[in-house]
Amino acid sequence: MSNTKSIKEPQTNDPSKRKSLLYSILSLSLLTVMAGAAVAPALGVIAKAFPGASQLAVQLIISMPSLFIFLTNLIFPRLSAKFGSKTLVLAGLILYTVGGVAAGLFSNIVLLLIMRALVGIGVGIIMPLSTGLLAYYYPPEAQSKLSGYSSAMNQTGGVLATLLSGVLSSVNWRASFLVYLLGLISVVLCAIFLPNEKLGATEKTSNEEKVNRPSIGKSFKAYYKYVMAMFLLMSCFFIYPANYAMETAQFDKVIPASLVSVIMAFADVIAAIGGFLFFRIMKACKGATKLVAPISFFLGFLFLYIGGWVGAILGSALIGFANGTGVPFIISQGSMKAGKTAAATVMPLVSAALYLGQFVSPFLLSAFQGVLGGLRHTAYIFGMAVSVLFVLWSISIKVIVPGAETKKFQKAESLVSDMGD
């Protein structure tokens, strides 16, 4: 049941303080995508530093955080009921920053992987709050715009992390982990501007009746459509960064290897633009917004399969656009349905589905390739197949479209107007 009437607006009429709170929350979105992706450009250099380690152990440097993010998300509702939001955010940021940087201090890969697990635990705490706090402090009519901003910040953080890590790794493999120092920006902002309210505590409804937070099982039953949608979206999207370079090298010789990273960065930029424009897209497409991402994924993988320069550029752009618009759609819809309880109910599950999708996507693709054998661009065929499933699943989602002309909507617009249109 939606609890949209209990949204708690920032307790200040000072626009600068409202703006500072919003920046503090959105700064968390800059960090979450960096859990594994931040050091991906340095993985080759890191592998050379551990010649005795297996290929699986080296790959775990990237995937280990995703596993622990998933596990931490499952217990997040219990944490949110016991600790205030500022306490949780700062704990998560400290684990994220210390674990991220400390990984570069060890010459033992087991200890390095333990540090990567700490990063995963930190992001597992931060991720539900990075979106749930927006639902807690801002009304449903603002969720589409704010979720779009959050997604755009997420993609921008990925671009910055990838570029910085690449530069730092040219100095030394250990230096590549210094990219996690970016977490200190959020530490300062959240320590100063974020209130320490319990998002998972017992609250009162408009009838003054006390209600308890639902369990993970009850939350999943209530919000499973958004959880499964995020799993399908990320299973689909992760095919691209994990396979594009290899597919291009094997089948699409017209694209120089030196430009592959540029094309992939271009996809991230398009994703960020899609996030910033999501509010306008939602207003224009209304109920059909649920099909924008899955159809874009399908067309993107189709163009990549066709190949050539046109296929590479259009395909990458469409996949980036699908990711940039699909994530805020799912998050905003789940947030609007859950209302103030989003941070303790739907967001941990959606976050868990996001990172579980990243973790299992390579395994699903491997099984698919085993069935199809040596067909050309099997990864892109798999991407189109998952996209079709995503389309079919999205059809079942009932879209919540805020009334753009209501006073309530206009009030919500004023809360985020300082962030730009």
Side-chain angles (χ1 to χ4, degrees):
M1 185 80 178
S2 176
N3 193 27
T4 55
K5 291 184 179 180
S6 347
I7 298 296
K8 183 169 186 177
E9 296 178 7
Q11 295 181 344
T12 176
N13 292 320
D14 187 344
S16 65
K17 290 184 178 180
R18 289 207 309 263
K19 185 176 179 181
S20 297
L21 174 61
L22 189 54
Y23 278 137
S24 301
I25 299 172
L26 289 177
S27 73
L28 301 175
S29 296
L30 274 173
L31 308 177
T32 52
V33 78
M34 292 166 53
V39 293
L43 197 59
V45 180
I46 295 172
K48 292 179 181 179
F50 296 94
S54 66
Q55 183 178 355
L56 177 60
V58 174
Q59 290 175 335
L60 281 174
I61 295 173
I62 301 299
S63 59
M64 181 69 83
S66 296
L67 177 61
F68 279 85
I69 293 167
F70 169 73
L71 295 174
T72 305
N73 284 161
L74 296 182
I75 64 169
F76 181 83
R78 292 176 180 267
L79 296 175
S80 66
K82 293 183 178 181
F83 302 101
S85 55
K86 179 185 284 190
T87 301
L88 287 173
V89 165
L90 293 179
L93 288 171
I94 290 170
L95 287 171
Y96 171 89
T97 307
V98 173
V101 175
L105 301 177
F106 298 103
S107 297
N108 184 310
I109 196 165
V110 174
L111 294 176
L112 190 154
L113 290 176
I114 291 174
M115 294 301 102
R116 299 296 288 163
L118 291 181
V119 171
I121 295 171
V123 176
I125 296 172
I126 297 169
M127 183 67 182
L129 291 167
S130 69
T131 50
L133 284 171
L134 296 176
Y136 186 79
Y137 285 112
Y138 298 94
E141 294 75 17
Q143 293 306 306
S144 295
K145 174 171 280 192
L146 292 176
S147 294
Y149 287 156
S150 178
S151 176
M153 295 288 279
N154 194 288
Q155 299 299 329
T156 302
V159 174
L160 289 174
T162 300
L163 294 176
L164 284 174
S165 180
V167 172
L168 290 170
S169 66
S170 66
V171 177
N172 186 281
W173 73 267
R174 298 180 188 275
S176 63
F177 290 96
L178 293 176
V179 71
Y180 289 95
L181 288 174
L182 288 173
L184 294 176
I185 298 173
S186 289
V187 170
V188 174
L189 287 173
C190 292
I192 297 173
F193 300 111
L194 187 65
N196 195 30
E197 299 184 72
K198 285 188 180 181
L199 308 188
T202 302
E203 69 176 65
K204 293 184 178 181
T205 64
S206 57
N207 297 322
E208 298 299 308
E209 296 176 349
K210 289 188 176 182
V211 294
N212 295 319
R213 299 297 184 196
S215 65
I216 283 288
K218 290 182 179 179
S219 294
F220 181 80
K221 185 177 180 179
Y223 307 112
Y224 72 94
K225 289 187 177 182
Y226 309 110
V227 176
M228 291 303 300
M230 183 61 82
F231 177 80
L232 288 170
L233 183 150
M234 199 49 57
S235 296
C236 193
F237 167 72
F238 211 66
I239 296 167
Y240 176 76
N243 295 277
Y244 178 69
M246 292 184 291
E247 291 287 325
T248 300
Q250 185 175 358
F251 298 110
D252 206 352
K253 306 293 185 181
V254 70
I255 308 295
S258 60
L259 292 181
V260 168
S261 61
V262 176
I263 293 173
M264 294 181 74
F266 168 70
D268 289 335
V269 172
I270 295 297
I273 293 173
F276 278 118
L277 294 178
F278 174 72
F279 178 69
R280 294 173 181 266
I281 295 169
M282 185 76 184
K283 288 176 68 175
C285 298
K286 297 182 172 60
T289 308
K290 62 186 179 182
L291 299 178
V292 171
I295 291 175
S296 296
F297 271 129
F298 181 84
L299 293 175
F301 283 115
L302 178 61
F303 275 112
L304 289 177
Y305 181 84
I306 294 171
W309 279 105
V310 173
I313 294 173
L314 284 181
S316 297
L318 282 166
I319 289 173
F321 180 76
N323 188 43
T325 55
V327 170
F329 170 76
I330 296 170
I331 288 175
S332 64
Q333 290 294 300
S335 295
M336 282 190 280
K337 183 172 182 180
K340 189 178 178 181
T341 67
T345 54
V346 65
M347 285 304 106
L349 291 173
V350 168
S351 175
L354 187 154
Y355 287 101
L356 182 62
Q358 286 187 12
F359 188 74
V360 305
S361 181
F363 296 100
L364 295 175
L365 174 58
S366 179
F368 187 81
Q369 289 173 328
V371 173
L372 289 188
L375 288 181
R376 175 179 176 271
H377 286 324
T378 312
Y380 300 154
I381 296 173
F382 179 64
M384 286 186 277
V386 178
S387 300
V388 171
L389 291 177
F390 190 16
V391 169
L392 296 175
W393 186 264
S394 297
I395 290 173
S396 69
I397 296 176
K398 185 178 180 180
V399 181
I400 303 171
V401 183
E405 302 303 324
T406 64
K407 292 182 179 179
K408 202 174 179 184
F409 181 86
Q410 293 168 2
K411 182 180 179 182
E413 282 285 88
S414 69
L415 291 174
V416 294
S417 60
D418 287 334
M419 294 295 296
D421 196 69

